[in-house]
Amino acid sequence: IKNEFNDVVKSAKNLEVINTQFTTITGSVSKANDTIQKLLSFSAETPFRFEDLATKMLKKRILLTM
């Protein structure tokens, strides 16, 4: 049970960090939330993990702004 709890806390922390990063990149909490919801839906329907998709999308957006 302790490991499961730690996994839940870790997932929540990761989601919070990703949310903050998308908010910074998009300049909007609403746009960040929309993007995250789309990624969550996509990851639920594909073999791709949400964290991997989010990280790749963030890197791509950062590179496009340079």
Side-chain angles (χ1 to χ4, degrees):
I1 293 177
K2 185 177 180 182
N3 287 339
E4 291 172 3
F5 177 75
N6 288 338
D7 289 345
V8 170
V9 170
K10 183 178 177 183
S11 292
K13 184 178 177 183
N14 288 345
L15 183 55
E16 185 177 334
V17 169
I18 289 168
N19 192 350
T20 301
Q21 291 171 331
F22 272 110
T23 300
T24 301
I25 294 293
T26 63
S28 164
V29 172
S30 178
K31 288 179 183 178
N33 288 338
D34 288 344
T35 302
I36 289 170
Q37 285 303 314
K38 289 176 185 176
L39 287 174
L40 285 168
S41 295
F42 183 77
S43 67
E45 299 171 5
T46 65
F48 303 109
R49 291 176 8 126
F50 168 75
E51 290 84 0
D52 295 336
L53 291 170
T55 300
K56 289 178 193 245
M57 189 171 198
L58 285 164
K59 285 180 182 177
K60 182 178 179 181
R61 286 192 177 198
I62 289 168
L63 289 173
L64 290 174
T65 60
M66 296 180 135

